[in-house]
Amino acid sequence: FFATLQRPVKGQILVASFPKSGSTWLRQITFSILHGGLPDDMETFDQLAPEIGKSLNIWNAKIVKTHWAYTPALNRAKRLYIVRHPAAVFRSYYDYQQQVVGREFSGFEEFFGSRWGLPEYVYNLECWRKDKGKLLSNYDDLLHDFDCSVKNIARYIGVTLNAERLDKIPMPKSLIVLV
């Protein structure tokens, strides 16, 4: 089963990251580039651009999100990988693990050294660093030079954006609620 999920359909776009690095936003940006906007609700969006492990409908989707480590089997898809400053990632992921998932830690230090902290972060980054065909996006670059970053993503996935279409790409203030 795992091996099957590691083989995307040719032509798919894989949006990848370590958790809490901005992959939902990047997935929304990519979806908007392709479709000229977003669905009205997150449930519909998640059906149209699902996350591996949260949906079985990944084979019909043009865009798929993952937090899995890179393997060469993923090369059939276009691969977008987003990074974010580690301090922001770990603060957000620590809160998420406690508040949403319900994991308990005696403190941030315990979380940071756990399998959800630094060891997994380093492993994920090291695996994706080996992928020479991906487009690397930086969360802070998206915030500070949004139009240029979005045009770069569009070019990578083979879409030409005009000004009207660029205006429909979601900035953080217009995002569907993120978890």
Side-chain angles (χ1 to χ4, degrees):
F1 179 74
F2 180 77
T4 304
L5 292 177
Q6 288 281 340
R7 291 192 173 84
V9 177
K10 189 169 179 66
Q12 277 184 318
I13 300 168
L14 193 65
V15 175
S17 73
F18 184 79
K20 302 308 188 190
S21 296
S23 56
T24 296
W25 184 27
L26 183 57
R27 185 172 47 136
Q28 291 174 330
I29 290 168
T30 306
F31 188 94
S32 295
I33 289 169
L34 290 174
H35 301 287
L38 290 171
D40 291 333
D41 61 89
M42 193 64 176
E43 184 178 331
T44 301
F45 175 72
D46 282 337
Q47 291 171 359
L48 296 171
E51 180 177 347
I52 292 176
K54 292 188 177 178
S55 174
L56 296 176
N57 186 32
I58 62 171
W59 305 122
N60 297 327
K62 177 72 174 173
I63 302 166
V64 178
K65 173 183 165 181
T66 186
H67 295 305
W68 288 358
Y70 168 78
T71 69
L74 299 175
N75 289 348
R76 294 179 64 176
K78 293 271 189 177
R79 294 153 330 274
L80 305 171
Y81 189 80
I82 188 164
V83 295
R84 187 177 181 193
H85 192 284
V89 169
F90 285 119
R91 180 79 252 164
S92 179
Y93 200 36
Y94 174 69
D95 291 342
Y96 175 81
Q97 287 292 327
Q98 291 191 116
Q99 296 167 9
V100 178
V101 178
R103 291 196 173 90
E104 294 184 19
F105 301 98
S106 60
F108 184 78
E109 294 77 21
E110 180 187 356
F111 161 76
F112 193 67
S114 75
R115 70 173 288 245
W116 297 280
L118 184 62
E120 184 63 25
Y121 178 79
V122 170
Y123 175 75
N124 190 283
L125 285 177
E126 287 299 315
C127 288
W128 279 99
R129 196 169 65 136
K130 296 173 188 170
D131 179 10
K132 303 299 182 204
K134 71 180 174 305
L135 177 68
L136 179 65
S137 293
N138 183 298
Y139 187 91
D140 290 322
D141 290 346
L142 279 166
L143 285 174
H144 300 296
D145 196 355
F146 186 76
D147 288 358
C148 182
S149 296
V150 168
K151 288 175 186 176
N152 196 28
I153 293 164
R155 237 184 335 272
Y156 177 76
I157 62 174
V159 174
T160 303
L161 286 179
N162 59 29
E164 180 184 332
R165 204 155 177 191
L166 184 61
D167 287 340
K168 294 181 181 177
I169 310 298
M171 289 290 287
K173 64 183 178 298
S174 66
L175 288 178
I176 297 169
V177 176
L178 302 180
V179 176

